[in-house]
Amino acid sequence: MGPRFACRRARQHSDLSSFAPAADYRRITVLTLLAIDGALCAILASFFLPTYIGTWPFPISALVAGVVNAALVWAALHWTSSPRTAALPLLTWLLTVAVLSLGGPGDDIVYGGAGIMQYGTLLLIALGTLPPAVVLWRHVNA
């Protein structure tokens, strides 16, 4: 601190102190909203999975889900130092995909189709989880 003010005691700088209680509530709120965004991303990606361009199946929502999940995990990494907590949007995304894979009332199904669309669910899970997993892996190994 130095002898700048000889008559005053040295105090701790405000930028060196821990988070204020309000900052903890903001952090929890933001992480909760990111987790809800992960669930919304899974719902939208699942419902737009059977899109077609002409007669060809074109599951662009699987690619978009991967990019959005990577962005959600990246944003969560800025609000927490724990990779487990930062993976919360990805975990809620996976949980929502798992719930949507169950049959609904009247045996309604979300995932299914003929031909190549039988593998749409696997494509959605692979393309939706690999980019955020790479973001987490790079953060842990950095």
Side-chain angles (χ1 to χ4, degrees):
M1 301 267 255
R4 186 183 303 173
F5 298 110
C7 62
R8 298 196 140 214
R9 287 187 348 185
R11 297 181 303 184
Q12 185 176 4
H13 293 282
S14 62
D15 60 335
L16 298 177
S17 60
S18 65
F19 287 116
D24 280 340
Y25 290 121
R26 271 187 282 166
R27 185 173 58 90
I28 291 169
T29 303
V30 168
L31 290 173
T32 302
L33 289 174
L34 289 172
I36 292 170
D37 287 341
L40 290 175
C41 175
I43 292 170
L44 290 174
S46 298
F47 288 155
F48 285 107
L49 186 63
T51 55
Y52 285 85
I53 293 181
T55 59
W56 293 90
F58 191 67
I60 189 70
S61 66
L63 293 171
V64 172
V67 171
V68 170
N69 283 339
L72 291 174
V73 168
W74 177 78
L77 283 170
H78 287 290
W79 284 92
T80 183
S81 59
S82 169
R84 290 181 185 174
T85 307
L88 192 59
L90 178 62
L91 296 175
T92 58
W93 186 85
L94 284 170
L95 180 67
T96 305
V97 169
V99 168
L100 288 175
S101 68
L102 302 173
D107 291 331
D108 292 338
I109 59 169
V110 175
Y111 304 114
I116 194 72
M117 289 309 291
Q118 291 176 349
Y119 302 105
T121 308
L122 294 175
L123 186 68
L124 177 68
I125 292 171
L127 291 178
T129 57
L130 285 178
V134 168
V135 169
L136 286 171
W137 182 76
R138 289 187 68 183
H139 176 74
V140 169
N141 292 330

